[in-house]
Amino acid sequence: AAGARLCFRPPARGFQCAARGCRAHRSAGGALVANVLRNGSVLLQWGLRHWGPPPPRPSASLRGFALNCSWDGTYTRFPCDSVELGAACRDYLLAEAHGSVRYRLCLQPRYAPPRPAPPAQCVEFRVEPAAMRDIVVAMTAVGGSICVMLVFICLLVAYITENLMSPRGGRGAGAARRA
């Protein structure tokens, strides 16, 4: 019974995704919502009423939830570790999600036998890159441009030094003619 109440954090009851700093993505059945926050974290929220008819004694048969995820990298799909959550949990915070990566999170309630587990509810979303990352990319681009300009300036100085300051037609050539 104590394990049924185990959650990683106090639930964020009544949390509403504000359009300015958050984007909500719902599963097809409506039971699972991924609130993608501007700071790169994702708050998952769910309710049992969207998973079909409740059992006669819901608290006695619900054992918890299984949360599975995967994300698309540049070349392949990576599975995330499964997370087992207690029966009292109704949300989960994914603190640091990777920007510009497509996530697929699936949540499935676990019931005591003989009741079979209903199908998982899945939600897909992409986390926007953090603002700081955009700044770093912009600074890298500007820094790269400055480096390219410095290389051109150095090559120009070397060319000018070699061609205009060289003694080809100067004293060295005149001394050779006099001898």
Side-chain angles (χ1 to χ4, degrees), residues 33-169:
V33 178
N35 299 297
V36 181
L37 304 172
R38 182 164 249 161
N39 67 0
S41 59
V42 179
L43 178 64
L44 298 171
Q45 295 177 302
W46 61 89
L48 286 174
R49 70 177 188 269
H50 297 285
W51 258 294
R57 294 182 348 192
S59 62
S61 61
L62 182 65
R63 298 290 187 214
F65 299 92
L67 177 66
N68 294 306
C69 71
S70 63
W71 55 280
D72 289 331
T74 305
Y75 300 106
T76 187
R77 185 176 197 90
F78 296 96
C80 304
D81 290 333
S82 295
V83 177
E84 294 290 329
L85 300 165
C89 295
R90 292 298 180 266
D91 66 12
Y92 180 78
L93 182 65
L94 181 61
E96 293 180 15
H98 301 285
S100 300
V101 173
R102 185 145 195 80
Y103 282 89
R104 179 178 170 80
L105 298 169
C106 296
L107 185 76
Q108 184 175 29
R110 302 282 191 203
Y111 288 98
R115 183 167 184 210
Q121 293 273 328
C122 298
V123 64
E124 291 188 18
F125 58 89
R126 183 180 303 272
V127 176
E128 296 299 321
M132 190 62 179
R133 187 175 302 150
D134 292 342
I135 292 171
V136 170
V137 168
M139 289 175 63
T140 304
V142 169
S145 299
I146 291 172
C147 287
V148 168
M149 286 191 312
L150 287 174
V151 167
F152 280 128
I153 290 170
C154 290
L155 289 173
L156 183 62
V157 167
Y159 176 78
I160 290 171
T161 303
E162 181 68 27
N163 290 322
L164 297 180
M165 302 296 195
S166 95
R168 274 189 225 159

